[in-house]
Amino acid sequence: MKITAIAPYAGLAEIINDVAAEKGITTIDVLVGDLQEGVRSAIQAEKQNCDIIISRGETAERIKKHVAIPVISIDVSGFDLLRVITLIKDTDSHAAFVGFPAIANAVKTISSLIDVHLDVYAINDELHIEQQLRKLKESHYTFVIGDVITVQLAEKTGLHGLLLTSGRESVLNAFIQAEDAYRMIAALKNERDTYREMIYNQHQHTVLVNGQATVLSHREFPLPMDYVEWLADAIATHGPLQFLMAYQHQLYELNGRQLLGRQVLIELQEQKDIPEALPLVTLISPANDAVYLSSNHHEVQQLIEHADALRDQAGPIILTGETGSGKESLARHIHGLSEGFFLKVDGSQCQVAFYDVLADILHQGGVLYIINAESLPDEALAWLKAHQQNPFRIILTADLETKGKLPVKGTLLHLPPLRERKQDIADLARLFISTFNSEFGRQIAGIRPEAMDLLENYAYPQNITELGRIMKEAVLEEETEYILDGTIETILSSMGPDTKVEIDLSGTFADIETQIIQAVWLEENKNRSKTAQRLGINRTTLWRKLKELD
């Protein structure tokens, strides 16, 4: 047991040392410090793995607010009070007690029992103690009983201060309490270590949040800790949560529940069999992923300028455009370096109650990015209508034909397809080369003009997303420092007209399955819910198989 004793006055430190020696306690540091000085010492002691802190009075009460380890308070016993009050029993001078409320009532009771006239003033802070002492001085008081701070201020004011001291009995009792507390702590630590070992063996990510996050699993927790703490607050408010969480190209099942008090346990685990009904939330980190929004197209340049102007304005934004035209990049550009997180959900998947959870997570700002907003159920549309003014921004994507059905008065931004902005293809291709060079350790220096001509004359049914797939394959396949026209021609010819996938039945079952999934996915404009429904598989399985296509 490692103890740090913080005595408000030197005499108490001597008694603590004597009692510790009598009890054979050697692992103890005894310091002298009152109030804020004592708090600073306690914080430092906790950092140095102290088990128990012993202090007294208001100093102990303040320390309790700043450390998580047990703080044992040395009592001022009835004998201690009787001893100091007896000193003024026979004086004709005016005397008063001035100090913190915790002991004021006991002083009043003892002085009444022994028939000593003593005015009692319960004060909550040092400033008011000093003000009260000045009033007593003006009223011709002589003696003031109190704690260390009262006695120090009394002497500065010209009064005689009588310090309330704690005797050996009170110190001995504090040590007994410390030993009892340590036995309880040791038992809890043993139980905690047992659970922690169990968690280690389950190969999952687990974090306990109680004011701050403590990782219990042996692996680093994959989500940002500030996001975890906000999520824990939402769980404490709304109750247990279970949903899919995607972050940095990895999918997890997240389970969160509240334990005792405000403690929240959050578990992340990669599982193959996840209920299809679970909503999927994607946490996007703009600092980690490239935003492909470069443009030399006049209409898109104006659109980006408009988006920049919207960064400091409230209200929803509705983005329209074909699949892969850059709506998410534009949404992330609007978010920019703003505070808060960027959470992406599918409007066809989430129940309305889940939007309240997301709103709590984003209570300090951020973006709620809802794709396929035209598929929102009526309850979610009503929620949107009632939540158009938030600490966070709502950005929706919708079909141009159906955006008018949304009950949201927001700014409309439309992104033209890539085939109408071919002057952007060269810069976007260079951005993709840089990204894939970094990701795959390649050293492609550029792209030959003939290859660029092929790219600029392609139709891109899937827009920027399709250009990204082409450039990824080119970076991986090219054997020279520059991407050649032959490489691009081979890739484009393999894609076929309108990117329809020809099913080759001569391959393995896995190859045929992959081709079918890709074909249906493209036909459904990459709508995961519709693709999964047509294929008769759950969204999690589809998500995993689509990752294999990237």
Side-chain angles (χ1 to χ4, degrees), residues 35 57-58 61-62 65 81 97-109 120-126 128-129 146-147 149-150 164:
L35 299 178
E58 183 65 18
E61 294 304 312
R62 294 192 182 189
K65 298 176 182 178
L81 294 175
F97 168 84
V98 178
F100 296 103
I103 200 169
N105 288 335
V107 171
K108 185 180 295 185
T109 300
V120 177
Y121 299 94
I123 308 295
N124 287 310
D125 57 73
E126 297 97 315
H128 289 93
I129 287 176
D147 214 330
I149 186 67
T150 299
L164 274 175

Side-chain angles (χ1 to χ4, degrees), residues 470-527:
I470 293 169
M471 295 310 300
K472 178 180 179 180
E473 189 171 348
V475 168
L476 291 173
E477 296 296 330
E478 186 56 68
E479 297 179 353
T480 70
E481 293 183 350
Y482 286 83
I483 295 175
L484 304 178
D485 57 336
T487 302
I488 296 298
E489 189 172 19
T490 300
I491 295 171
L492 295 182
S493 62
S494 68
M495 301 181 73
D498 298 326
T499 69
K500 294 286 185 180
V501 178
E502 298 293 333
I503 306 300
D504 181 6
L505 299 179
S506 64
T508 65
F509 176 78
D511 292 335
I512 296 171
E513 179 190 52
T514 297
Q515 294 177 70
I516 293 173
I517 290 173
Q518 186 176 35
V520 175
W521 186 49
L522 293 176
E523 288 179 9
E524 294 294 347
N525 290 323
K526 296 186 179 180
N527 185 303

Side-chain angles (χ1 to χ4, degrees), residues 12 45 51 60 63 132 160 171 173 217 295 301 328 368 387 394 407 430 475 509:
L12 182 58
D51 296 308
I63 290 173
Q132 183 60 49
H160 295 305
V171 173
N173 185 56
S217 50
S295 182
Q301 288 177 339
E328 184 174 311
L368 178 58
H387 290 79
I394 294 177
R430 295 184 185 100
V475 168
F509 176 78

Side-chain angles (χ1 to χ4, degrees), residues 366-506:
V367 167
L368 178 58
Y369 180 58
I370 304 175
I371 64 172
N372 299 321
E374 67 277 2
S375 301
L376 285 166
D378 292 341
E379 297 85 355
L381 292 174
W383 186 92
L384 277 178
K385 187 175 182 180
H387 290 79
Q388 297 192 46
Q389 298 297 324
N390 307 284
F392 56 92
R393 183 186 295 279
I394 294 177
I395 301 180
L396 311 165
T397 71
D399 295 337
L400 190 59
E401 296 78 11
T402 60
K403 59 91 181 174
K405 299 179 182 178
L406 297 176
V408 177
K409 295 180 179 179
T411 303
L412 175 65
L413 300 178
H414 177 70
L415 276 162
L418 187 57
R419 61 182 174 274
E420 295 179 7
R421 37 187 283 217
K422 292 189 175 182
Q423 59 267 54
D424 289 342
I425 292 174
D427 283 349
L428 288 170
R430 295 184 185 100
L431 284 173
F432 280 121
I433 290 173
S434 175
T435 296
F436 297 131
N437 273 344
S438 175
E439 183 175 348
F440 300 111
R442 302 287 288 166
Q443 296 180 337
I444 301 298
I447 183 168
R448 294 298 185 191
E450 299 82 1
M452 186 63 73
D453 288 342
L454 290 173
L455 290 175
E456 290 178 346
N457 286 289
Y458 184 66
Y460 297 104
Q462 303 298 320
N463 294 288
I464 297 174
T465 301
E466 190 166 6
L467 174 60
R469 288 202 303 271
I470 293 169
M471 295 310 300
K472 178 180 179 180
E473 189 171 348
V475 168
L476 291 173
E477 296 296 330
E478 186 56 68
E479 297 179 353
T480 70
E481 293 183 350
Y482 286 83
I483 295 175
L484 304 178
D485 57 336
T487 302
I488 296 298
E489 189 172 19
T490 300
I491 295 171
L492 295 182
S493 62
S494 68
M495 301 181 73
D498 298 326
T499 69
K500 294 286 185 180
V501 178
E502 298 293 333
I503 306 300
D504 181 6
L505 299 179
S506 64

